[in-house]
Amino acid sequence: MKTAAFLGLGAMGVPMAAALARRAATTGGRVLVWNRHAEKAQAHAAGYGTQAATLEEVGGAQLILTCLPTSADVDEVIGQLEAHINPSTFWVDCTSGHPDAAQLQRARLLKRGVKFLDAPVSGGVSGAEASTLTVMLGGPADEVRAVRGELAFAGKAVHVGDTGAGFAVKAVNNALLAVNLWAAGEGLAALGKGGVDLSAALDVINASSGRSNATENLIPSRVLTRAFPPTFGLGLLAKDADIALDVVRAVGSSAPVLAQVAALTRAASQLVGPHEDHTALLKLVEQMNAQEIR
Ligand code: NDP
């Protein structure tokens, strides 16, 4: 596809659009960028060889990608853009969105001949910078095939099912992230309170069956160090855990552990702050135990 447009230059959008631009430089394509606060689009164009564009210009692209906080934000942008979009455009939404919204967005855009695919990503800012993100695609197989090769920021792109399935898988993945973080935090707070050295405890856990990405990577580099670098907001994690519960409810399943941790994540987001890094979830564990995890 000759022209791609990337909308939403946040923590993820900046490196994802940059990866598209690097690819386009070798294939002769071009990458337009748009951001609600336009100065970020101008800075991106200057830094990465993209072109800052108006929504009217974005409407002429063959491929539109979005990476915004929520599906409600994507709805807003669809509202501003739909009058300008070419009928044969693909709209690939990399937001961690809601499966129900994906159904409505696809139906709405299909009326204009535009094909909407849900395509959330995992791998974080570092994965976006290294173009190693995992993309989980929901939608018809032929449309997934048409866009898969365009996703220059992906290390892996998996077709997980029909429209909404990508958002559902992403929500469950992030609910598991919250569960693993929370559970590890509870265990470490207790060990710390009992006088155990937590680096030594993690050394053991990470060579044993209790390990997870939380114990191997997140807690050693972000919590023990007290750095909590804000790459993925706690409010976004709470949103994802809530979506996972909607996924559970939609099929009449029972998931009491996910429900409990979703509620704790929401509480932590409100008490600690939605813009804190998601690992600051453990600050609530610390408050509950009067024990720092360090
Ligand atoms: P950020 O908060 O860093 O960026 C949000 C972007 O969305 C900004 O460009 C912002 O524009 C734009 N935006 C927000 N609301 C609107 C709106 N109503 N209309 C138009 N633009 C809007 O978010 P992230 O990049 O961290 O996250 C984006 C998505 O990716 C989320 O769904 C998140 O859950 C998911 N995600 C995040 C990861 C991470 O590590 N950060 C990892 C994997 C997935 P402006 O600059 O004008 O405010």
Side-chain angles (χ1 to χ4, degrees):
M1 295 176 201
K2 274 207 152 25
T3 305
F6 199 102
L7 283 54
L9 298 170
M12 293 299 284
V14 165
M16 289 168 75
L20 293 175
R22 282 194 297 277
R23 167 82 63 82
T26 64
T27 59
R30 63 184 190 133
V31 178
L32 309 179
V33 287
W34 177 88
N35 195 68
R36 181 176 57 178
H37 292 97
E39 64 277 6
K40 285 196 196 168
Q42 278 136 20
H44 199 276
Y48 299 101
T50 50
Q51 293 173 35
T54 62
L55 283 179
E56 208 164 347
E57 289 162 337
V58 163
Q62 286 90 48
L63 175 64
I64 294 173
L65 300 107
T66 31
C67 191
L68 306 179
T70 67
S71 288
D73 298 312
V74 177
D75 279 336
E76 252 184 59
V77 173
I78 291 175
Q80 294 164 50
L81 186 52
E82 67 187 334
H84 308 295
I85 313 182
N86 279 337
S88 55
T89 307
F90 285 91
W91 187 311
V92 173
D93 184 22
C94 300
T95 302
S96 298
H98 198 294
D100 295 348
Q103 305 284 350
L104 297 171
Q105 288 162 340
R106 182 168 172 89
R108 177 178 180 180
L109 286 167
L110 264 184
K111 286 190 189 141
R112 296 186 165 268
V114 175
K115 296 157 196 153
F116 176 96
L117 298 169
D118 47 311
V121 299
S122 73
V125 173
S126 58
E129 285 166 352
S131 300
T132 56
L133 292 175
T134 298
V135 187
M136 44 219 103
L137 288 137
D142 59 327
E143 296 177 23
V144 167
R145 266 196 303 277
V147 303
R148 193 197 287 266
E150 306 289 332
L151 309 176
F153 43 76
K156 188 182 178 103
V158 183
H159 183 201
V160 292
D162 214 341
T163 299
F167 288 160
V169 172
K170 174 66 188 176
V172 169
N173 177 76
N174 277 21
L176 297 179
L177 161 64
V179 167
N180 287 336
L181 255 178
W182 185 273
E186 284 187 356
L188 291 171
L191 289 173
K193 213 162 184 163
V196 174
D197 177 86
L198 295 189
S199 294
L202 282 170
D203 204 11
V204 171
I205 290 167
N206 289 332
S208 308
S209 43
R211 69 184 180 275
S212 64
N213 184 51
T215 61
E216 287 183 318
N217 297 312
L218 296 174
I219 293 174
S221 67
R222 297 178 182 228
V223 180
L224 295 197
T225 59
R226 314 308 290 167
F228 301 102
T231 61
F232 173 45
L234 183 51
L236 293 175
L237 181 62
K239 172 254 312 178
D240 293 337
D242 283 342
I243 295 173
L245 285 190
D246 286 346
V247 170
V248 167
R249 277 191 285 263
V251 293
S253 266
S254 165
V257 173
L258 296 189
Q260 186 78 273
V261 175
L264 291 164
T265 308
R266 176 63 58 200
S269 172
Q270 280 164 13
L271 291 169
V272 181
H275 301 296
E276 295 287 315
D277 187 58
H278 65 299
T279 53
L281 175 62
L282 296 199
K283 289 187 180 173
L284 182 55
V285 176
E286 293 177 339
Q287 284 175 32
M288 288 165 64
N289 290 285
Q291 176 66 35
E292 274 197 354
I293 300 166
R294 60 188 315 150

